[in-house]
C-alpha cells in the first residue's frame, strides 16, 4: 500500500525530470576546449521579441589576463564566421563583450551542425596560442 503511494509520486516526478532534460538538451549545444580554458555554447533563441535562430557565445573559464585576437567558426571545413576585433561593452544590438575574462556573443543564425569547429586565437605574455573547440 505504501509502496503504491511512493510509485504514484516517484514515476510522475521522474517523467517531469526526463522531459525537462530532453527539452533543455534540444535547445543548447556546447563544447569545451581540450585545455578547459574556453567554453562555447549555442542556444536556441526562444524569446519571440528577439531575432530568431541560434546564438553562439564564447566564455573564458579561467581568470588569466589574455587577449583574444580572433574567433573563427568552421562548418564542414568552410569558414562560417570570422571575428578579429573586440570592443568591450554593449553594442547597439544588445551584444555584450567582456575582455577579461573574455566573454562574447559571436553568432546568430541557423542551428550549427555537429561538425562545427571553433578556433580561438589568443595571446598571453607575448606568445600566441590557438585552441580548438569541437561542437558536440
Amino acid at each position: 500500500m505504501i509502496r503504491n503511494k511512493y510509485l504514484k509520486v516517484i514515476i510522475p516526478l521522474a517523467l517531469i525530470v526526463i522531459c525537462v532534460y530532453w527539452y533543455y538538451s534540444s535547445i543548447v549545444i556546447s563544447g569545451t576546449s581540450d585545455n578547459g580554458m574556453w567554453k562555447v555554447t549555442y542556444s536556441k533563441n526562444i524569446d519571440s521579441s528577439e531575432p530568431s535562430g541560434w546564438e553562439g557565445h564564447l566564455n573564458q573559464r579561467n581568470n588569466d589576463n589574455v587577449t583574444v585576437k580572433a574567433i573563427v567558426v568552421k562548418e564542414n571545413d568552410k569558414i562560417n564566421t570570422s571575428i578579429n576585433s573586440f570592443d568591450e561593452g554593449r553594442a547597439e544590438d544588445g551584444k555584450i563583450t567582456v575582455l577579461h575574462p573574455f566573454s562574447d556573443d559571436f553568432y546568430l543564425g541557423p542551428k550549427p551542425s555537429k561538425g562545427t569547429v571553433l578556433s580561438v586565437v589568443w595571446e598571453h605574455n607575448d606568445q600566441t596560442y590557438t585552441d580548438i573547440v569541437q561542437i558536440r
Side-chain angles (χ1 to χ4, degrees):
M1 187 79 148
I2 293 176
R3 183 176 174 161
N4 285 340
K5 287 182 183 180
Y6 284 124
L7 288 177
K8 287 181 182 179
V9 172
I10 291 174
I11 290 174
L13 284 177
L15 287 174
I16 290 171
V17 168
I18 290 169
C19 289
V20 168
Y21 173 78
W22 174 78
Y23 176 75
Y24 180 75
S25 66
S26 69
I27 62 170
V28 175
I29 303 170
S30 64
T32 304
S33 62
D34 287 339
N35 62 4
M37 185 171 175
W38 305 101
K39 180 169 184 175
V40 176
T41 305
Y42 285 93
S43 57
K44 186 175 182 179
N45 191 349
I46 56 175
D47 184 354
S48 60
S49 66
E50 297 284 327
S52 64
W54 288 72
E55 297 175 340
H57 188 78
L58 174 67
N59 271 336
Q60 180 183 348
R61 299 182 75 194
N62 63 18
N63 289 323
D64 292 348
N65 192 2
V66 303
T67 303
V68 175
K69 296 295 186 180
I71 298 172
V72 178
V73 180
K74 289 184 179 181
E75 284 191 62
N76 302 321
D77 294 327
K78 294 180 184 177
I79 294 178
N80 181 334
T81 304
S82 180
I83 305 170
N84 58 11
S85 176
F86 306 97
D87 295 320
E88 189 164 32
R90 180 184 292 268
E92 290 179 11
D93 63 358
K95 180 178 112 171
I96 298 173
T97 301
V98 178
L99 297 180
H100 302 289
F102 189 82
S103 177
D104 187 41
D105 294 327
F106 63 87
Y107 179 82
L108 178 62
K111 182 178 181 177
S113 66
K114 297 265 182 180
T116 300
V117 176
L118 181 128
S119 301
V120 183
V121 180
W122 55 282
E123 188 175 89
H124 183 61
N125 294 334
D126 295 326
Q127 291 188 339
T128 302
Y129 305 91
T130 301
D131 288 336
I132 305 294
V133 180
Q134 296 275 342
I135 303 305
R136 296 173 174 43

